[in-house]
Amino acid sequence: LRAPRSVRDGDSDPRVESAPDRASMLATVSTIVRDIRSVSGAGRVAVICADPTVDEMSTSLTAAGISHGSARTTGLDNDVSIVPASVAKGLEIDNVVVVEPAEIVADDPQGMRLLYVCLTRSTQTLSVVHHAPLPDAMR
């Protein structure tokens, strides 16, 4: 098989940020969300994470003073939404921040397939933030 290629020409390459620990990783997510939101006309932001970590992500964004919704309860009506990986399929979002790819893979029986779905939801920018080592396919 040939490697996939993007059908959209974006203005920026994907951003991959590694953090030394979980707390730093969560803080990095907040910083990236703030950076995206500071750009006029940037559009909506989806923070996609493994389903069991949705509450932790929400607590972290709230502590950072970032107003957000949850795709489970408010859809994508907010400028910033937390999207559980299991519901990302079929969505198109301006800016996507994928959090801890290894957890997304570990949380689902078809984890690599789900990770691929998560990584392909963005129409403008893609950021990946992790503390654990990235899955082999992403290295």
Side-chain angles (χ1 to χ4, degrees):
L1 295 175
R2 290 180 288 137
R5 66 175 185 77
S6 176
V7 296
R8 293 186 180 96
D9 291 327
D11 292 334
S12 62
D13 290 333
R15 174 179 179 181
V16 179
E17 298 282 339
S18 177
D21 54 48
R22 192 156 186 93
S24 297
M25 179 188 72
L26 294 171
T28 300
V29 170
S30 295
T31 298
I32 290 172
V33 170
R34 272 197 207 96
D35 289 350
I36 293 168
R37 297 298 308 142
S38 71
V39 176
S40 177
R44 293 196 168 124
V45 180
V47 177
I48 303 177
C49 56
D51 291 34
T53 63
V54 167
D55 291 339
E56 176 186 31
M57 181 80 333
S58 181
T59 299
S60 178
L61 291 178
T62 298
I66 298 172
S67 177
H68 62 281
S70 169
R72 283 188 178 146
T73 57
T74 60
L76 299 175
D77 292 341
N78 297 72
D79 289 338
V80 177
S81 296
I82 298 173
V83 178
S86 66
V87 300
K89 186 176 181 181
L91 301 178
E92 284 194 348
I93 303 129
D94 301 314
N95 305 283
V96 171
V97 181
V98 175
V99 181
E100 202 64 272
E103 287 179 357
I104 292 171
V105 171
D107 186 53
D108 190 271
Q110 295 186 0
M112 288 302 293
R113 182 181 203 170
L114 181 59
L115 178 58
Y116 176 82
V117 167
C118 294
L119 292 170
T120 58
R121 301 302 87 203
S122 125
T123 63
Q124 293 180 24
T125 67
L126 171 64
S127 301
V128 176
V129 184
H130 67 100
H131 163 59
L134 290 172
D136 289 342
M138 290 186 69
R139 292 186 203 163

